[in-house]
Amino acid sequence: QVQLVESGGGLVQPGGSLRLSCAASGTIFSIDVMGWYRQAPGKERELVAAITTSGGTNYADSVKGRFAISRDNAKNTAYLQMNSLNFEDTAVYYCNAEVGQFYYSQYRTYWGRGTQVTVSS
């Protein structure tokens, strides 16, 4: 059993900031890539940011320079610092992690249930 618990979403004004957290728990041997995705109404889910165990990162062009992903491997937790938020950032944000539950297991993809981020004046 693996669960991803998200927190930090909410309502914010344009130009404001939010910090999302995603904590993985359950039977976990190792976690590879962790990431954040988002889906706005009427749009497809898209990758926002991803981070490797060693700290390598990848960002969507739309958030480069504004968002920063990080992780605490000891806590099995990923974070997404979101700055300079605008209306187009309004979406449900989902945490994603590639988790190996046992040393012999292949990695599987797990998802959080999503947290709403709304940017409105």
Side-chain angles (χ1 to χ4, degrees):
Q1 296 295 123
V2 176
Q3 297 83 37
L4 303 181
V5 181
E6 301 160 331
S7 62
L11 177 66
V12 65
Q13 292 186 329
S17 299
L18 285 174
R19 183 177 174 85
L20 305 183
S21 298
C22 172
S25 63
T27 303
I28 299 173
F29 179 76
S30 63
I31 302 178
D32 193 9
V33 176
M34 300 186 75
W36 291 93
Y37 292 72
R38 68 185 182 187
Q39 186 168 20
K43 297 183 178 180
E44 295 183 346
R45 182 187 64 189
E46 64 175 349
L47 173 69
V48 177
I51 185 168
T52 67
T53 56
S54 60
T57 58
N58 186 38
Y59 295 94
D61 289 339
S62 60
V63 306
K64 285 183 177 179
R66 300 189 298 119
F67 291 9
I69 189 171
S70 60
R71 66 190 290 170
D72 185 336
N73 292 330
K75 296 181 179 180
N76 290 330
T77 300
Y79 307 93
L80 184 68
Q81 178 66 47
M82 303 184 294
N83 300 321
S84 301
L85 288 162
N86 56 58
F87 297 129
E88 295 184 353
D89 296 317
T90 295
V92 177
Y93 284 71
Y94 298 92
C95 180
N96 167 271
E98 298 290 325
V99 179
Q101 292 192 271
F102 305 96
Y103 78 95
Y104 54 82
S105 299
Q106 293 184 329
Y107 286 96
R108 298 179 65 181
T109 300
Y110 293 87
W111 294 89
R113 294 191 176 187
T115 183
Q116 178 70 49
V117 172
T118 301
V119 183
S120 177
S121 60

